[in-house]
Amino acid sequence: MGGNVRPVPASTDDAVIDLLGLVAYGELVAFDRLAADARLAPDLRRRATLSELAAAEIGNYRRLADWLTALGASPEEAMAPYVEALRAYHDSTEPRDWLEAVTKAYVGDAITDDFLGAIADRLDDPYRQLIREVLHDSHYAEFAAAEIRAAIDADPRVANRLSMWARRLVGEALSQAGRVAAADRGALTALIARDGVDVPGLFRRLTADHTARMTAVGLNN
Amino acid sequence: MGGNVRPVPASTDDAVIDLLGLVAYGELVAFDRLAADARLAPDLRRRATLSELAAAEIGNYRRLADWLTALGASPEEAMAPYVEALRAYHDSTEPRDWLEAVTKAYVGDAITDDFLGAIADRLDDPYRQLIREVLHDSHYAEFAAAEIRAAIDADPRVANRLSMWARRLVGEALSQAGRVAAADRGALTALIARDGVDVPGLFRRLTADHTARMTAVGLNN
């Protein structure tokens, strides 16, 4: 997959290394969690689908690690600051069943992707494009959304339980964002400050998009 | 990955479906187990390597499932008879630490691959070639062997513990082969009988190859 590494621009700074390290570790953790969640699948077809989605995260991990190496950074060192923050998020949001697992994929990963995408947009290409490419594709959300809709169709009471779960996921994701900022060695936080990211505006947008996603599958805020 | 599916020969019989189902389920389970074992890794580099090896199993699963579909079979139905037999094997050989995990990959998967390869050799192409291609490549065994050798170099007493563990793995793998034969709907067992597989000779060869692998990394039988 080394063929995916494009020429390195001269303007590479620490914030790029930090962001790639954060996203790379996010991929490793997402792989681990989706692989574990696949055990909750009610049948072999769904189990295989979730396993394949997990495997896709590792392909993205490899691309990011190759980039970090090409930039002269150690992938392990770039990821290390974020290990505890992301572990805390997943430990506190371990799904108890299949529907909680797909809801976490649908709600939690989407809001994380939106957040990372907004930061990536502050970077120059090729980094902006690289981050955009490794965020989850629509196939992923569609699979999870279809599972949630089918479950609510079969038993409308499910909507209440999953709505509560989704609210908890968002709360933990926001708390995770705080932990990531605290873990960051400074460059990433500086990037957000330097480029004048409108943080309240960003959060409003993340929240609005989240609300739209909830409504789309029959969940309520 | 549908591009990997070649034209289906007219001679396809139930034994092919059964073997592809067995190997496909083996890939799904191997994915699940390697992904879980990656958590035991002592550092992020090794964790990423094992996660990538796990992801490769899912690529193989997809190839086999596409073949089954092209043959008019349901992958889920073809895999179903083997679910309990393979689960029992993995439940009884859950690694407690990283070295047990890599020893299981090195010893257990190799003997299983040898067994499946010997059965596949009784098939015509393209099935023989397909099975051969999805068995573990040498990269996999080399990674595990290097981990075992390094651990024994660092502490020679490790050899004893891992040798005992390896003997247990082989015992469970043979017991697994018996369970798979019992689970089989008949076609696979019939294939082995029909083509006059020399079962005692096959087991002697599997045992000899296993002994050579043990010696190569400093383990004893």
Side-chain angles (χ1 to χ4, degrees), chain A residues 1 25 28-29 31-36 38-39 44-45 47-48 50-52 54-56 58-59 61-62 75-76 79-80 83 87 94, chain B residues 1 25 28-29 31-36 38-39 44-45 47-48 50-52 54-55 58-59 61-62 75-76 79-80 83 87 94:
Chain A
M1 304 192 194
Y25 188 67
L28 256 192
V29 173
F31 164 80
D32 175 71
R33 188 241 315 162
L34 286 172
R39 294 184 177 195
L44 287 175
R45 183 185 65 77
R47 176 170 159 192
L50 213 65
S51 301
E52 292 187 79
I58 281 297
Y61 165 80
R62 174 46 48 203
E76 290 72 39
M79 293 190 287
V83 168
R87 179 183 297 161
E94 192 150 338
Chain B
M1 302 194 195
Y25 188 66
L28 256 192
V29 173
F31 164 80
D32 175 71
R33 189 242 316 162
L34 286 172
R39 294 185 176 193
L44 286 176
R45 183 185 66 79
R47 176 171 160 191
L50 214 65
S51 300
E52 291 187 80
I58 281 297
Y61 164 79
R62 175 46 48 204
E76 291 70 39
M79 293 191 287
V83 168
R87 180 184 296 163
E94 192 150 338

Short mmCIF file of all heavy atoms in Angstrom, two decimals, chain A residues 1 25 28-29 31-36 38-39 44-45 47-48 50-52 54-56 58-59 61-62 75-76 79-80 83 87 94, chain B residues 1 25 28-29 31-36 38-39 44-45 47-48 50-52 54-55 58-59 61-62 75-76 79-80 83 87 94:
data_model
loop_
_atom_site.label_atom_id
_atom_site.label_comp_id
_atom_site.label_asym_id
_atom_site.label_seq_id
_atom_site.Cartn_x
_atom_site.Cartn_y
_atom_site.Cartn_z
N MET A 1 0.81 -1.20 0.00
CA MET A 1 0.00 0.00 0.00
C MET A 1 0.85 1.25 0.00
O MET A 1 0.34 2.36 0.05
CB MET A 1 -0.91 0.02 1.23
CG MET A 1 -1.78 -1.22 1.29
SD MET A 1 -3.09 -1.03 2.53
CE MET A 1 -3.61 -2.74 2.66
N TYR A 25 -4.42 5.84 15.27
CA TYR A 25 -4.77 5.06 16.45
C TYR A 25 -6.28 4.83 16.51
O TYR A 25 -6.73 3.75 16.90
CB TYR A 25 -4.27 5.71 17.74
CG TYR A 25 -4.49 4.78 18.89
CD1 TYR A 25 -3.78 3.58 18.97
CD2 TYR A 25 -5.46 5.04 19.86
CE1 TYR A 25 -4.01 2.68 19.99
CE2 TYR A 25 -5.70 4.13 20.89
CZ TYR A 25 -4.96 2.96 20.95
OH TYR A 25 -5.21 2.05 21.94
N LEU A 28 -6.93 1.76 14.50
CA LEU A 28 -6.55 0.52 15.20
C LEU A 28 -7.61 0.15 16.23
O LEU A 28 -7.99 -1.02 16.35
CB LEU A 28 -5.21 0.72 15.93
CG LEU A 28 -3.95 0.11 15.34
CD1 LEU A 28 -2.82 0.16 16.36
CD2 LEU A 28 -4.17 -1.33 14.90
N VAL A 29 -8.08 1.15 16.96
CA VAL A 29 -9.07 0.90 17.99
C VAL A 29 -10.41 0.51 17.36
O VAL A 29 -11.10 -0.39 17.84
CB VAL A 29 -9.24 2.14 18.90
CG1 VAL A 29 -10.40 1.95 19.86
CG2 VAL A 29 -7.95 2.39 19.67
N PHE A 31 -10.86 -0.96 14.55
CA PHE A 31 -10.71 -2.35 14.11
C PHE A 31 -10.98 -3.31 15.25
O PHE A 31 -11.78 -4.24 15.14
CB PHE A 31 -9.29 -2.59 13.58
CG PHE A 31 -8.94 -4.04 13.47
CD1 PHE A 31 -9.38 -4.77 12.37
CD2 PHE A 31 -8.23 -4.69 14.46
CE1 PHE A 31 -9.10 -6.13 12.28
CE2 PHE A 31 -7.95 -6.04 14.38
CZ PHE A 31 -8.39 -6.77 13.28
N ASP A 32 -10.31 -3.06 16.35
CA ASP A 32 -10.42 -3.92 17.52
C ASP A 32 -11.87 -4.02 17.99
O ASP A 32 -12.38 -5.10 18.28
CB ASP A 32 -9.53 -3.33 18.62
CG ASP A 32 -9.66 -4.07 19.92
OD1 ASP A 32 -9.18 -5.21 19.99
OD2 ASP A 32 -10.25 -3.52 20.87
N ARG A 33 -12.54 -2.88 18.04
CA ARG A 33 -13.89 -2.84 18.59
C ARG A 33 -14.89 -3.49 17.64
O ARG A 33 -15.73 -4.29 18.06
CB ARG A 33 -14.25 -1.37 18.84
CG ARG A 33 -15.52 -1.18 19.58
CD ARG A 33 -16.49 -0.43 18.75
NE ARG A 33 -15.84 0.71 18.11
CZ ARG A 33 -16.37 1.32 17.09
NH1 ARG A 33 -17.51 0.91 16.57
NH2 ARG A 33 -15.74 2.35 16.53
N LEU A 34 -14.78 -3.17 16.32
CA LEU A 34 -15.70 -3.78 15.36
C LEU A 34 -15.51 -5.30 15.31
O LEU A 34 -16.47 -6.05 15.18
CB LEU A 34 -15.48 -3.20 13.97
CG LEU A 34 -16.00 -1.79 13.74
CD1 LEU A 34 -15.54 -1.27 12.39
CD2 LEU A 34 -17.53 -1.76 13.82
N ALA A 35 -14.25 -5.75 15.41
CA ALA A 35 -13.99 -7.19 15.40
C ALA A 35 -14.65 -7.84 16.61
O ALA A 35 -15.23 -8.93 16.51
CB ALA A 35 -12.49 -7.46 15.39
N ALA A 36 -14.57 -7.19 17.76
CA ALA A 36 -15.21 -7.74 18.96
C ALA A 36 -16.74 -7.68 18.82
O ALA A 36 -17.44 -8.63 19.18
CB ALA A 36 -14.76 -6.97 20.20
N ALA A 38 -18.44 -7.93 16.19
CA ALA A 38 -18.92 -8.92 15.22
C ALA A 38 -19.40 -10.18 15.93
O ALA A 38 -20.29 -10.89 15.45
CB ALA A 38 -17.82 -9.26 14.21
N ARG A 39 -18.85 -10.45 17.10
CA ARG A 39 -19.30 -11.62 17.88
C ARG A 39 -20.73 -11.50 18.34
O ARG A 39 -21.37 -12.49 18.67
CB ARG A 39 -18.43 -11.78 19.13
CG ARG A 39 -16.99 -12.12 18.83
CD ARG A 39 -16.24 -12.36 20.11
NE ARG A 39 -14.88 -12.76 19.81
CZ ARG A 39 -14.06 -13.32 20.69
NH1 ARG A 39 -14.49 -13.55 21.92
NH2 ARG A 39 -12.84 -13.66 20.35
N LEU A 44 -24.39 -15.39 10.69
CA LEU A 44 -23.07 -15.40 10.06
C LEU A 44 -22.93 -14.31 9.01
O LEU A 44 -21.85 -13.76 8.81
CB LEU A 44 -22.78 -16.77 9.44
CG LEU A 44 -22.47 -17.90 10.42
CD1 LEU A 44 -22.31 -19.22 9.68
CD2 LEU A 44 -21.20 -17.60 11.22
N ARG A 45 -24.03 -13.99 8.32
CA ARG A 45 -23.95 -12.95 7.29
C ARG A 45 -23.59 -11.61 7.90
O ARG A 45 -22.68 -10.91 7.44
CB ARG A 45 -25.29 -12.84 6.54
CG ARG A 45 -25.27 -11.84 5.39
CD ARG A 45 -26.65 -11.67 4.75
NE ARG A 45 -27.62 -11.06 5.65
CZ ARG A 45 -27.68 -9.76 5.96
NH1 ARG A 45 -26.81 -8.93 5.42
NH2 ARG A 45 -28.60 -9.29 6.77
N ARG A 47 -22.29 -11.14 10.85
CA ARG A 47 -20.97 -11.25 11.47
C ARG A 47 -19.87 -11.01 10.43
O ARG A 47 -18.90 -10.29 10.68
CB ARG A 47 -20.81 -12.63 12.10
CG ARG A 47 -19.44 -12.86 12.66
CD ARG A 47 -19.40 -14.13 13.48
NE ARG A 47 -18.04 -14.62 13.62
CZ ARG A 47 -17.72 -15.81 14.08
NH1 ARG A 47 -18.68 -16.66 14.45
NH2 ARG A 47 -16.47 -16.17 14.18
N ALA A 48 -20.05 -11.61 9.24
CA ALA A 48 -19.05 -11.42 8.18
C ALA A 48 -19.00 -9.97 7.73
O ALA A 48 -17.92 -9.41 7.50
CB ALA A 48 -19.37 -12.35 7.00
N LEU A 50 -19.71 -7.20 9.46
CA LEU A 50 -19.01 -6.36 10.42
C LEU A 50 -17.51 -6.66 10.44
O LEU A 50 -16.69 -5.76 10.60
CB LEU A 50 -19.61 -6.51 11.83
CG LEU A 50 -19.56 -5.21 12.64
CD1 LEU A 50 -20.44 -4.14 12.01
CD2 LEU A 50 -19.94 -5.42 14.09
N SER A 51 -17.16 -7.93 10.26
CA SER A 51 -15.74 -8.29 10.21
C SER A 51 -15.07 -7.62 9.01
O SER A 51 -13.92 -7.15 9.10
CB SER A 51 -15.58 -9.81 10.11
OG SER A 51 -16.18 -10.45 11.22
N GLU A 52 -15.78 -7.55 7.89
CA GLU A 52 -15.22 -6.90 6.71
C GLU A 52 -15.06 -5.39 6.92
O GLU A 52 -14.08 -4.79 6.47
CB GLU A 52 -16.08 -7.18 5.48
CG GLU A 52 -16.03 -8.63 5.07
CD GLU A 52 -16.76 -8.89 3.75
OE1 GLU A 52 -16.17 -8.61 2.70
OE2 GLU A 52 -17.90 -9.35 3.81
N ALA A 54 -14.49 -4.06 9.78
CA ALA A 54 -13.32 -3.96 10.67
C ALA A 54 -12.03 -4.04 9.85
O ALA A 54 -11.09 -3.26 10.06
CB ALA A 54 -13.36 -5.07 11.71
N ALA A 55 -11.99 -4.98 8.92
CA ALA A 55 -10.77 -5.16 8.12
C ALA A 55 -10.46 -3.90 7.31
O ALA A 55 -9.29 -3.55 7.11
CB ALA A 55 -10.93 -6.37 7.21
N ALA A 56 -11.51 -3.19 6.88
CA ALA A 56 -11.29 -1.95 6.11
C ALA A 56 -10.57 -0.91 6.97
O ALA A 56 -9.74 -0.13 6.46
CB ALA A 56 -12.62 -1.39 5.61
N ILE A 58 -8.28 -1.46 9.11
CA ILE A 58 -6.86 -1.78 9.13
C ILE A 58 -6.17 -1.35 7.84
O ILE A 58 -5.02 -0.92 7.85
CB ILE A 58 -6.67 -3.29 9.41
CG1 ILE A 58 -6.85 -3.55 10.89
CG2 ILE A 58 -5.29 -3.78 8.97
CD1 ILE A 58 -5.83 -2.86 11.78
N GLY A 59 -6.89 -1.43 6.73
CA GLY A 59 -6.33 -0.91 5.48
C GLY A 59 -6.05 0.59 5.61
O GLY A 59 -4.99 1.07 5.17
N TYR A 61 -5.54 2.16 8.47
CA TYR A 61 -4.41 2.28 9.41
C TYR A 61 -3.09 2.18 8.66
O TYR A 61 -2.17 2.97 8.88
CB TYR A 61 -4.48 1.19 10.49
CG TYR A 61 -3.16 1.08 11.21
CD1 TYR A 61 -2.83 1.97 12.21
CD2 TYR A 61 -2.20 0.13 10.82
CE1 TYR A 61 -1.59 1.93 12.82
CE2 TYR A 61 -0.96 0.08 11.42
CZ TYR A 61 -0.66 0.98 12.43
OH TYR A 61 0.56 0.95 13.01
N ARG A 62 -2.98 1.19 7.77
CA ARG A 62 -1.72 0.99 7.04
C ARG A 62 -1.37 2.22 6.21
O ARG A 62 -0.22 2.64 6.16
CB ARG A 62 -1.88 -0.28 6.18
CG ARG A 62 -0.74 -0.62 5.23
CD ARG A 62 0.66 -0.53 5.81
NE ARG A 62 0.83 -1.19 7.10
CZ ARG A 62 1.79 -0.89 7.99
NH1 ARG A 62 2.67 0.06 7.73
NH2 ARG A 62 1.86 -1.53 9.14
N PRO A 75 5.14 5.76 13.61
CA PRO A 75 3.70 5.63 13.84
C PRO A 75 3.39 5.37 15.32
O PRO A 75 2.44 5.94 15.87
CB PRO A 75 3.29 4.44 12.97
CG PRO A 75 4.33 4.38 11.90
CD PRO A 75 5.60 4.86 12.54
N GLU A 76 4.22 4.55 15.97
CA GLU A 76 3.95 4.19 17.37
C GLU A 76 4.03 5.45 18.25
O GLU A 76 3.19 5.68 19.11
CB GLU A 76 4.97 3.16 17.88
CG GLU A 76 4.78 1.77 17.27
CD GLU A 76 5.20 1.70 15.81
OE1 GLU A 76 6.22 2.33 15.44
OE2 GLU A 76 4.48 1.06 15.01
N MET A 79 1.12 7.80 17.71
CA MET A 79 -0.16 7.33 18.26
C MET A 79 -0.19 7.36 19.78
O MET A 79 -1.26 7.50 20.39
CB MET A 79 -0.43 5.89 17.79
CG MET A 79 -0.68 5.75 16.29
SD MET A 79 -1.28 4.09 15.85
CE MET A 79 0.23 3.13 16.03
N ALA A 80 0.99 7.19 20.39
CA ALA A 80 1.06 6.96 21.84
C ALA A 80 0.28 7.95 22.70
O ALA A 80 -0.40 7.54 23.65
CB ALA A 80 2.52 6.90 22.28
N VAL A 83 -3.53 6.97 23.24
CA VAL A 83 -3.96 5.62 23.62
C VAL A 83 -4.95 5.66 24.78
O VAL A 83 -6.03 5.08 24.71
CB VAL A 83 -2.74 4.74 23.97
CG1 VAL A 83 -3.19 3.45 24.65
CG2 VAL A 83 -1.94 4.42 22.71
N ARG A 87 -9.00 4.73 24.67
CA ARG A 87 -9.36 3.53 25.43
C ARG A 87 -10.48 3.87 26.41
O ARG A 87 -11.44 3.09 26.57
CB ARG A 87 -8.14 2.99 26.17
CG ARG A 87 -8.46 1.75 26.98
CD ARG A 87 -7.26 1.25 27.78
NE ARG A 87 -6.18 0.84 26.90
CZ ARG A 87 -4.90 0.72 27.28
NH1 ARG A 87 -4.55 1.00 28.53
NH2 ARG A 87 -3.98 0.33 26.43
N GLU A 94 -19.01 0.18 25.92
CA GLU A 94 -18.96 -1.17 25.36
C GLU A 94 -20.39 -1.68 25.11
O GLU A 94 -21.19 -1.74 26.05
CB GLU A 94 -18.23 -2.11 26.32
CG GLU A 94 -17.90 -3.44 25.67
CD GLU A 94 -16.63 -4.04 26.25
OE1 GLU A 94 -15.80 -3.30 26.82
OE2 GLU A 94 -16.48 -5.25 26.13
N MET B 1 -13.94 -7.77 -4.89
CA MET B 1 -13.08 -8.93 -5.02
C MET B 1 -13.71 -10.00 -5.91
O MET B 1 -13.17 -11.07 -6.09
CB MET B 1 -12.81 -9.53 -3.64
CG MET B 1 -12.17 -8.51 -2.71
SD MET B 1 -11.49 -9.30 -1.24
CE MET B 1 -11.27 -7.86 -0.21
N TYR B 25 -15.45 -20.60 6.91
CA TYR B 25 -15.73 -20.37 8.33
C TYR B 25 -14.43 -20.32 9.13
O TYR B 25 -14.30 -19.53 10.07
CB TYR B 25 -16.69 -21.43 8.90
CG TYR B 25 -17.10 -21.04 10.29
CD1 TYR B 25 -17.87 -19.90 10.50
CD2 TYR B 25 -16.66 -21.76 11.39
CE1 TYR B 25 -18.20 -19.49 11.78
CE2 TYR B 25 -16.99 -21.35 12.68
CZ TYR B 25 -17.77 -20.22 12.86
OH TYR B 25 -18.08 -19.81 14.13
N LEU B 28 -13.26 -16.80 8.98
CA LEU B 28 -14.02 -15.90 9.85
C LEU B 28 -13.57 -16.05 11.30
O LEU B 28 -13.39 -15.07 12.02
CB LEU B 28 -15.52 -16.24 9.77
CG LEU B 28 -16.44 -15.35 8.97
CD1 LEU B 28 -17.89 -15.70 9.27
CD2 LEU B 28 -16.21 -13.87 9.30
N VAL B 29 -13.39 -17.31 11.71
CA VAL B 29 -12.99 -17.57 13.09
C VAL B 29 -11.55 -17.10 13.32
O VAL B 29 -11.23 -16.53 14.36
CB VAL B 29 -13.13 -19.07 13.42
CG1 VAL B 29 -12.54 -19.37 14.79
CG2 VAL B 29 -14.59 -19.47 13.37
N PHE B 31 -10.04 -14.71 11.82
CA PHE B 31 -10.11 -13.25 11.93
C PHE B 31 -10.46 -12.84 13.36
O PHE B 31 -9.79 -12.01 13.98
CB PHE B 31 -11.17 -12.69 10.97
CG PHE B 31 -11.56 -11.28 11.29
CD1 PHE B 31 -10.76 -10.23 10.88
CD2 PHE B 31 -12.69 -11.01 12.04
CE1 PHE B 31 -11.09 -8.92 11.20
CE2 PHE B 31 -13.03 -9.70 12.36
CZ PHE B 31 -12.23 -8.66 11.94
N ASP B 32 -11.54 -13.43 13.86
CA ASP B 32 -12.03 -13.10 15.19
C ASP B 32 -10.96 -13.34 16.24
O ASP B 32 -10.72 -12.50 17.12
CB ASP B 32 -13.25 -13.98 15.45
CG ASP B 32 -13.79 -13.82 16.85
OD1 ASP B 32 -14.36 -12.76 17.12
OD2 ASP B 32 -13.62 -14.75 17.66
N ARG B 33 -10.27 -14.45 16.13
CA ARG B 33 -9.31 -14.83 17.15
C ARG B 33 -8.06 -13.96 17.08
O ARG B 33 -7.55 -13.47 18.09
CB ARG B 33 -8.97 -16.30 16.95
CG ARG B 33 -8.15 -16.89 18.06
CD ARG B 33 -6.84 -17.35 17.54
NE ARG B 33 -7.02 -18.08 16.29
CZ ARG B 33 -6.05 -18.30 15.45
NH1 ARG B 33 -4.85 -17.82 15.69
NH2 ARG B 33 -6.27 -18.97 14.32
N LEU B 34 -7.55 -13.73 15.85
CA LEU B 34 -6.36 -12.88 15.72
C LEU B 34 -6.65 -11.45 16.17
O LEU B 34 -5.80 -10.81 16.78
CB LEU B 34 -5.88 -12.86 14.26
CG LEU B 34 -5.18 -14.13 13.77
CD1 LEU B 34 -4.94 -14.05 12.28
CD2 LEU B 34 -3.86 -14.33 14.50
N ALA B 35 -7.86 -10.98 15.87
CA ALA B 35 -8.22 -9.62 16.30
C ALA B 35 -8.23 -9.55 17.82
O ALA B 35 -7.76 -8.57 18.41
CB ALA B 35 -9.59 -9.24 15.74
N ALA B 36 -8.74 -10.59 18.48
CA ALA B 36 -8.75 -10.60 19.95
C ALA B 36 -7.33 -10.75 20.48
O ALA B 36 -6.95 -10.08 21.45
CB ALA B 36 -9.64 -11.74 20.45
N ALA B 38 -4.67 -9.68 19.20
CA ALA B 38 -3.90 -8.44 19.01
C ALA B 38 -3.91 -7.60 20.29
O ALA B 38 -2.98 -6.84 20.55
CB ALA B 38 -4.47 -7.64 17.84
N ARG B 39 -4.96 -7.75 21.10
CA ARG B 39 -5.01 -7.02 22.37
C ARG B 39 -3.92 -7.44 23.33
O ARG B 39 -3.60 -6.72 24.27
CB ARG B 39 -6.35 -7.27 23.07
CG ARG B 39 -7.52 -6.71 22.32
CD ARG B 39 -8.78 -6.89 23.12
NE ARG B 39 -9.90 -6.27 22.43
CZ ARG B 39 -11.07 -6.05 22.99
NH1 ARG B 39 -11.26 -6.40 24.25
NH2 ARG B 39 -12.04 -5.49 22.32
N LEU B 44 2.37 -1.25 20.30
CA LEU B 44 1.47 -0.88 19.20
C LEU B 44 1.92 -1.47 17.87
O LEU B 44 1.10 -1.79 17.02
CB LEU B 44 1.36 0.64 19.10
CG LEU B 44 0.54 1.34 20.19
CD1 LEU B 44 0.60 2.85 20.00
CD2 LEU B 44 -0.91 0.87 20.15
N ARG B 45 3.24 -1.61 17.67
CA ARG B 45 3.73 -2.15 16.40
C ARG B 45 3.25 -3.59 16.22
O ARG B 45 2.70 -3.95 15.17
CB ARG B 45 5.26 -2.10 16.35
CG ARG B 45 5.84 -2.58 15.02
CD ARG B 45 7.36 -2.64 15.04
NE ARG B 45 7.88 -3.65 15.97
CZ ARG B 45 7.94 -4.96 15.72
NH1 ARG B 45 7.50 -5.44 14.59
NH2 ARG B 45 8.43 -5.79 16.62
N ARG B 47 0.83 -5.03 17.84
CA ARG B 47 -0.63 -5.05 17.78
C ARG B 47 -1.12 -4.76 16.36
O ARG B 47 -2.03 -5.42 15.85
CB ARG B 47 -1.19 -4.01 18.76
CG ARG B 47 -2.68 -3.89 18.71
CD ARG B 47 -3.18 -3.01 19.83
NE ARG B 47 -4.52 -2.51 19.53
CZ ARG B 47 -5.12 -1.56 20.22
NH1 ARG B 47 -4.51 -1.01 21.26
NH2 ARG B 47 -6.32 -1.15 19.89
N ALA B 48 -0.51 -3.77 15.72
CA ALA B 48 -0.90 -3.44 14.34
C ALA B 48 -0.60 -4.60 13.40
O ALA B 48 -1.41 -4.92 12.52
CB ALA B 48 -0.18 -2.17 13.88
N LEU B 50 -0.48 -7.87 14.05
CA LEU B 50 -1.45 -8.96 14.20
C LEU B 50 -2.83 -8.54 13.66
O LEU B 50 -3.54 -9.34 13.06
CB LEU B 50 -1.56 -9.42 15.66
CG LEU B 50 -1.83 -10.93 15.80
CD1 LEU B 50 -0.66 -11.74 15.26
CD2 LEU B 50 -2.14 -11.33 17.22
N SER B 51 -3.18 -7.26 13.85
CA SER B 51 -4.45 -6.77 13.31
C SER B 51 -4.46 -6.86 11.79
O SER B 51 -5.47 -7.20 11.17
CB SER B 51 -4.68 -5.33 13.75
OG SER B 51 -4.72 -5.23 15.17
N GLU B 52 -3.32 -6.55 11.18
CA GLU B 52 -3.24 -6.64 9.71
C GLU B 52 -3.33 -8.10 9.25
O GLU B 52 -3.93 -8.39 8.21
CB GLU B 52 -1.95 -6.00 9.21
CG GLU B 52 -1.94 -4.50 9.41
CD GLU B 52 -0.74 -3.83 8.77
OE1 GLU B 52 -0.76 -3.62 7.55
OE2 GLU B 52 0.22 -3.55 9.49
N ALA B 54 -4.98 -10.37 10.79
CA ALA B 54 -6.40 -10.69 10.94
C ALA B 54 -7.20 -10.18 9.74
O ALA B 54 -8.05 -10.90 9.20
CB ALA B 54 -6.94 -10.07 12.23
N ALA B 55 -6.91 -8.96 9.33
CA ALA B 55 -7.65 -8.37 8.20
C ALA B 55 -7.45 -9.18 6.92
O ALA B 55 -8.36 -9.31 6.10
CB ALA B 55 -7.22 -6.92 7.99
N ILE B 58 -9.94 -11.90 6.46
CA ILE B 58 -11.25 -11.48 5.97
C ILE B 58 -11.25 -11.30 4.45
O ILE B 58 -12.25 -11.59 3.78
CB ILE B 58 -11.69 -10.19 6.70
CG1 ILE B 58 -12.21 -10.56 8.08
CG2 ILE B 58 -12.77 -9.44 5.93
CD1 ILE B 58 -13.46 -11.44 8.06
N GLY B 59 -10.13 -10.86 3.90
CA GLY B 59 -10.01 -10.81 2.44
C GLY B 59 -10.20 -12.21 1.85
O GLY B 59 -10.89 -12.38 0.84
N TYR B 61 -11.78 -14.70 3.34
CA TYR B 61 -13.18 -15.07 3.55
C TYR B 61 -14.04 -14.57 2.39
O TYR B 61 -14.87 -15.28 1.86
CB TYR B 61 -13.71 -14.50 4.87
CG TYR B 61 -15.21 -14.55 4.90
CD1 TYR B 61 -15.87 -15.74 5.20
CD2 TYR B 61 -15.97 -13.44 4.54
CE1 TYR B 61 -17.25 -15.81 5.16
CE2 TYR B 61 -17.34 -13.50 4.50
CZ TYR B 61 -17.98 -14.69 4.81
OH TYR B 61 -19.34 -14.75 4.74
N ARG B 62 -13.83 -13.31 2.01
CA ARG B 62 -14.64 -12.71 0.94
C ARG B 62 -14.48 -13.48 -0.37
O ARG B 62 -15.44 -13.74 -1.08
CB ARG B 62 -14.24 -11.24 0.81
CG ARG B 62 -14.87 -10.44 -0.31
CD ARG B 62 -16.36 -10.60 -0.49
NE ARG B 62 -17.16 -10.49 0.72
CZ ARG B 62 -18.37 -11.02 0.88
NH1 ARG B 62 -18.94 -11.72 -0.08
NH2 ARG B 62 -19.02 -10.86 2.02
N PRO B 75 -23.25 -18.96 1.36
CA PRO B 75 -22.08 -19.08 2.24
C PRO B 75 -22.49 -19.44 3.67
O PRO B 75 -21.83 -20.26 4.31
CB PRO B 75 -21.45 -17.69 2.18
CG PRO B 75 -21.89 -17.12 0.88
CD PRO B 75 -23.26 -17.68 0.63
N GLU B 76 -23.58 -18.83 4.16
CA GLU B 76 -24.00 -19.10 5.54
C GLU B 76 -24.33 -20.58 5.73
O GLU B 76 -23.94 -21.21 6.71
CB GLU B 76 -25.23 -18.25 5.91
CG GLU B 76 -24.94 -16.76 6.02
CD GLU B 76 -24.66 -16.09 4.68
OE1 GLU B 76 -25.33 -16.43 3.69
OE2 GLU B 76 -23.74 -15.26 4.60
N MET B 79 -21.28 -22.81 5.68
CA MET B 79 -20.43 -22.71 6.87
C MET B 79 -21.08 -23.34 8.10
O MET B 79 -20.38 -23.81 9.01
CB MET B 79 -20.12 -21.23 7.17
CG MET B 79 -19.24 -20.56 6.11
SD MET B 79 -18.65 -18.91 6.67
CE MET B 79 -20.15 -17.93 6.54
N ALA B 80 -22.42 -23.31 8.14
CA ALA B 80 -23.15 -23.64 9.37
C ALA B 80 -22.73 -24.96 10.02
O ALA B 80 -22.59 -25.02 11.25
CB ALA B 80 -24.65 -23.61 9.10
N VAL B 83 -19.66 -24.64 12.53
CA VAL B 83 -19.58 -23.59 13.55
C VAL B 83 -19.21 -24.17 14.91
O VAL B 83 -18.27 -23.70 15.56
CB VAL B 83 -20.91 -22.79 13.63
CG1 VAL B 83 -20.95 -21.91 14.88
CG2 VAL B 83 -21.10 -21.94 12.37
N ARG B 87 -15.64 -23.66 16.98
CA ARG B 87 -15.76 -22.88 18.21
C ARG B 87 -15.17 -23.67 19.38
O ARG B 87 -14.48 -23.10 20.23
CB ARG B 87 -17.23 -22.55 18.48
CG ARG B 87 -17.43 -21.74 19.76
CD ARG B 87 -18.89 -21.51 20.06
NE ARG B 87 -19.52 -20.69 19.02
CZ ARG B 87 -20.85 -20.59 18.82
NH1 ARG B 87 -21.68 -21.29 19.58
NH2 ARG B 87 -21.32 -19.83 17.87
N GLU B 94 -7.70 -20.92 24.19
CA GLU B 94 -7.63 -19.45 24.25
C GLU B 94 -6.29 -19.03 24.87
O GLU B 94 -6.00 -19.41 26.00
CB GLU B 94 -8.79 -18.90 25.07
CG GLU B 94 -8.92 -17.40 24.90
CD GLU B 94 -10.38 -16.94 25.04
OE1 GLU B 94 -11.29 -17.76 24.86
OE2 GLU B 94 -10.57 -15.76 25.35
#
